[in-house]
Amino acid sequence: MHGPDVLRGLAALGVVMFHVLYLSGIPINETAAAITGRMDFFVRVFFVLSAFAIGHAYYSRMSSTEAIKVFYQKRFFRIAPLFYFMILTGVVFRLAMDQPMPPLLDFILSGSFLFTLAPGKQSGLVGGGWSIAIEWLFYFMFPLLLSSIRTVRSAAFAWVVLCLIATLSKRYLQDSFDGQLNEFASLNVLVHSQYFILGLLILHLSRAGMPTARNAMQRQAVGVAFLALLACTIYSLHAPFGLQEEVLLSIAAPLMVGLSIAGFPRWLDNKATRWLGLVSYSTYLVQFPLIQLLQMHGIYAEIGAHIGHGGLAFAAAALVTLACVVVTAAFTYYFVEVPGQRLYDKLRGGRLART
């Protein structure tokens, strides 16, 4: 099943283009904004994908305390090495630019992945790290969720409850906080927990026999349906027809994941797109310092000077950024992520050998 990996890679590229639009300094073009201006929704797709993938991998493997302990260890070594590497990169950058260091509390909160629980600290020390911290909180709750949500009906009920909580809590927090604290209303676990439940819902539907594409023609239809759903989602986020964003994305994100499970055609599912899925975590985290560096060194300004400030300038900036991000992501995947996972295997093997 490669479709979810492909979707993860495409989602990572979408998030990069979203950030190029708003962080590069190139004047925002109306057409570019219409296409990529709400591609931040792909982060919610990540959440659904993560819950489905982990649920699929561990559905029958959480029957003992030892199994749960191994799960936590493996997830830590999956996300922590790169995350800590990015924190270190930020420290080096601040030293090089003679910028002040954040307080010790910020390092403690980021190092423990608990910063999204603290209003005003929700952004952490790593760009985009808020979603990783929310993911870690899901990992923490995963054994309980997997043991208590074992049917389509229980997953659907949990989604209804959590979607209501997300909508009401976001509105309450937005009304209660001002300034940077207001950002906490959108970057906390309460307003995103329903997406993880939707991943478990898709898991139970797939185990119950969710239809899959059985031939090339059906896969072509799935690919067209995915593109149509993507276009409708982007359009609806700009003109949401009265639907709360939490409800809209609770429909779109699991449908995208479901289509990826059904089976993409070759023009979506191939070696290149599968590899992009492999390095998607690195792609997501390295984009922020790279966009900052490209801006500091005047690359985006040069693009604007030579091409102008229309959609073509954005396309050029996006292509340059994507190329830099993908190359860097390949480096951090093979030289940070993979060694981190091998370190776990080595430590785990040594411990088993002693016992």
Side-chain angles (χ1 to χ4, degrees):
M1 188 191 303
H2 298 291
D5 291 330
V6 171
L7 179 56
R8 187 179 288 109
L10 297 176
L13 298 186
V15 174
V16 173
M17 289 192 290
F18 166 80
H19 286 116
V20 171
L21 180 70
Y22 292 112
L23 300 179
S24 65
I26 291 179
I28 295 176
N29 173 263
E30 184 176 339
T31 303
I35 298 172
T36 64
R38 284 310 317 270
M39 281 193 176
D40 58 320
F41 85 87
F42 274 123
V43 175
R44 283 73 172 180
V45 177
F46 281 138
F47 292 155
V48 180
L49 276 169
S50 178
F52 168 78
I54 295 174
H56 185 267
Y58 286 92
Y59 189 82
S60 302
R61 296 167 54 190
M62 305 290 283
S63 57
S64 67
T65 302
E66 180 64 20
I68 293 174
K69 183 165 65 174
V70 168
F71 166 77
Y72 286 136
Q73 291 171 346
K74 292 188 72 170
R75 299 321 301 170
F76 178 82
F77 278 91
R78 175 68 184 89
I79 68 170
L82 180 61
F83 195 83
Y84 292 163
F85 176 80
M86 297 308 297
I87 292 177
L88 179 61
T89 300
V91 170
V92 172
F93 180 83
R94 287 174 180 274
L95 290 172
M97 300 300 296
D98 198 24
Q99 294 179 354
M101 287 292 168
L104 178 61
L105 177 61
D106 288 14
F107 284 98
I108 294 173
L109 289 173
S110 286
S112 60
F113 300 101
L114 297 177
F115 51 95
T116 56
L117 298 178
K121 302 290 187 180
Q122 65 277 345
S123 296
L125 297 179
V126 176
W130 67 271
S131 64
I132 309 303
I134 288 176
E135 184 114 353
W136 178 254
L137 294 174
F138 165 70
Y139 295 158
F140 179 76
M141 294 295 297
F142 175 74
L144 176 62
L145 293 173
L146 189 64
S147 64
S148 58
I149 301 176
R150 303 295 289 184
T151 64
V152 171
R153 180 178 296 182
S154 60
F157 177 76
W159 171 77
V160 171
V161 172
L162 289 174
C163 197
L164 181 62
I165 291 173
T167 302
L168 295 177
S169 64
K170 184 177 182 179
R171 185 178 304 169
Y172 171 78
L173 291 170
Q174 286 176 333
D175 293 339
S176 301
F177 293 136
D178 296 321
Q180 185 181 2
L181 289 177
N182 187 262
E183 189 183 59
F184 179 74
S186 301
L187 303 184
N188 70 82
V189 68
L190 283 179
V191 299
H192 294 96
S193 56
Q194 76 272 20
Y195 299 112
F196 295 103
I197 300 302
L198 287 169
L200 296 180
L201 174 62
I202 296 297
L203 169 69
H204 293 309
L205 286 172
S206 68
R207 291 181 61 84
M210 189 167 63
T212 58
R214 298 184 181 278
N215 54 53
M217 183 175 294
Q218 290 179 356
R219 285 192 290 273
Q220 293 293 338
V222 170
V224 172
F226 172 76
L227 293 182
L229 176 59
L230 177 60
C232 289
T233 302
I234 292 172
Y235 178 78
S236 299
L237 284 168
H238 287 287
F241 308 109
L243 274 180
Q244 289 286 338
E245 181 176 309
E246 290 76 18
V247 176
L248 175 62
L249 294 182
S250 290
I251 298 171
L255 282 176
M256 289 184 184
V257 175
L259 288 171
S260 75
I261 297 167
F264 284 147
R266 289 293 299 273
W267 48 270
L268 272 176
D269 183 356
N270 49 65
K271 289 183 178 180
T273 55
R274 291 177 187 179
W275 181 83
L276 287 173
L278 191 68
V279 301
S280 59
Y281 178 40
S282 278
T283 298
Y284 180 73
L285 286 190
V286 304
Q287 63 173 308
F288 297 96
L290 286 175
I291 291 174
Q292 188 175 7
L293 285 172
L294 289 171
Q295 186 181 42
M296 286 175 55
H297 288 282
I299 303 301
Y300 297 130
E302 286 292 320
I303 290 173
H306 288 85
I307 300 179
H309 301 302
L312 189 58
F314 169 77
L319 286 173
V320 169
T321 306
L322 287 171
C324 294
V325 166
V326 169
V327 170
T328 307
F331 175 84
T332 55
Y333 174 77
Y334 290 111
F335 293 99
V336 179
E337 289 190 64
V338 172
Q341 295 175 62
R342 287 176 178 168
L343 175 62
Y344 167 75
D345 292 337
K346 183 177 180 180
L347 293 174
R348 180 72 182 167
R351 194 189 72 80
L352 289 174
R354 290 193 298 271
T355 57

